[in-house]
Amino acid sequence: MHNNRPPNAIFLICLQRNSANKFWRAIIRPAASCPVKWHLALKKTGGDHLGVSRTAVREAVKMLAAKGMLLPRPRIGTRVMPQSQWNFLDQDLLTWWMTRENFDQVMQHFLILRTSLEPQACALAANHASPQQTKLLAELMAEMRALHTQFDRERWIQVDTQFHQLIYEASGNPFLTSFANLFSSVYQSYFRAITGNEVIKLLHHQSIVDAILAGDSAGALVACQVLLKEKD
């Protein structure tokens, strides 16, 4: 039924059906430009033959172009751009990318980035954390210890995510804070994947907190590096 439809038309159909996973699989293989005739047909018919409206097609193309995924050109067509042009820091794109079959790949890339940034965030937090932030960090650590004796998986995932986000915020670096906010959903997905029926690396988290509260920048950096090197 869809064999004669170019890939660009297929991903638009999938998007309008609100199937992000299908959309991702369709677009992940960059294709040549849509034929000029097909592109004009979308404009003339409003996409009715695809089961979508002209407005929906136009908005979808505009949205994906803003994410670096498409390059619409008048009289030529709409090209699916190479993945090197895609904005993987876009929240929608992160969500679409993190499918079940892509999860391990996404996490590998994420952990490389996290290993590069989080130890520095810990070191900065030791010097720049406000009294309110150190108080909250100590409270989160106390809750982690409580969860060690009375474990609640969902609560641990929530507290662990808040713990690491707080460290980025306490660094005083706006770029690091933005990173934590942007990747909040990725952190939660990661912690959800690795958390079983007990707390994770409790002593390592405590070492980070002790160093930050003591104002020990070098110690906080090393403690975080140890936490990230240890296998989950």
Side-chain angles (χ1 to χ4, degrees), residues 174-195:
F175 290 107
L176 291 174
T177 300
S178 295
F179 168 82
N181 293 333
L182 177 65
F183 283 87
S184 175
S185 62
V186 183
Y187 266 96
Q188 288 192 34
S189 296
Y190 173 70
F191 291 141
R192 190 171 299 281
I194 66 172
T195 302

Side-chain angles (χ1 to χ4, degrees), residues 6 30 64-65 67-68 80 82-83 87 96 104 108 122 124 136 148 160 162 169 179 181 207 216:
L64 299 178
K67 300 177 189 301
V80 180
Q83 288 188 48
N87 179 17
W96 296 334
D104 289 342
Q108 286 177 3
C122 288
L124 289 169
L136 180 55
H148 178 59
D160 203 6
Q162 291 177 336
E169 294 171 7
F179 168 82
N181 293 333
S207 295
D216 182 0

Side-chain angles (χ1 to χ4, degrees), residues 17-59:
R17 290 177 180 171
N18 296 319
S19 177
N21 290 348
K22 289 182 180 179
F23 160 71
W24 174 262
R25 286 195 291 270
I27 200 173
I28 198 169
R29 294 182 293 276
S33 296
C34 287
V36 175
K37 290 183 179 178
W38 187 273
H39 190 63
L40 292 176
L42 284 175
K43 290 184 176 180
K44 290 178 180 179
T45 65
D48 292 339
H49 61 300
L50 300 179
V52 295
S53 68
R54 172 192 286 185
T55 300
V57 171
R58 184 169 58 247
E59 290 302 315

Side-chain angles (χ1 to χ4, degrees), residues 192-209:
R192 190 171 299 281
I194 66 172
T195 302
N197 296 315
E198 59 182 4
V199 301
I200 299 175
K201 302 177 181 177
L202 186 65
L203 294 180
H204 293 88
H205 285 85
Q206 185 68 63
S207 295
I208 292 174
V209 172

Side-chain angles (χ1 to χ4, degrees), residues 13-168:
I13 295 170
C14 292
L15 181 64
Q16 295 310 312
R17 290 177 180 171
N18 296 319
S19 177
N21 290 348
K22 289 182 180 179
F23 160 71
W24 174 262
R25 286 195 291 270
I27 200 173
I28 198 169
R29 294 182 293 276
S33 296
C34 287
V36 175
K37 290 183 179 178
W38 187 273
H39 190 63
L40 292 176
L42 284 175
K43 290 184 176 180
K44 290 178 180 179
T45 65
D48 292 339
H49 61 300
L50 300 179
V52 295
S53 68
R54 172 192 286 185
T55 300
V57 171
R58 184 169 58 247
E59 290 302 315
V61 171
K62 184 188 299 184
M63 178 185 71
L64 299 178
K67 300 177 189 301
M69 304 173 81
L70 299 182
L71 180 63
R73 286 289 178 86
R75 307 179 69 85
I76 296 176
T78 302
R79 180 181 296 276
V80 180
M81 299 299 288
Q83 288 188 48
S84 59
Q85 301 296 314
W86 299 3
N87 179 17
F88 284 97
L89 297 182
D90 181 89
Q91 193 64 59
D92 290 330
L93 186 46
L94 274 174
T95 301
W96 296 334
W97 189 21
M98 210 160 39
T99 59
R100 181 175 300 177
E101 58 265 36
N102 293 324
F103 185 81
D104 289 342
Q105 179 191 26
V106 176
M107 287 303 111
Q108 286 177 3
H109 293 312
F110 167 69
L111 289 175
I112 290 173
L113 186 59
R114 183 187 175 196
T115 301
S116 301
L117 298 179
E118 195 160 315
Q120 294 298 326
C122 288
L124 289 169
N127 292 329
H128 300 292
S130 68
Q132 292 82 4
Q133 288 169 333
T134 55
K135 179 176 182 293
L136 180 55
L137 188 63
E139 289 173 353
L140 289 172
M141 190 65 238
E143 186 164 3
M144 284 183 164
R145 291 194 299 270
L147 286 167
H148 178 59
T149 57
Q150 191 170 357
F151 186 69
D152 180 319
R153 184 174 182 273
E154 289 302 316
R155 183 56 187 160
W156 170 265
I157 293 171
Q158 183 179 0
V159 171
D160 203 6
T161 301
Q162 291 177 336
F163 177 93
H164 292 280
Q165 282 189 296
L166 177 59
I167 287 174
Y168 283 99

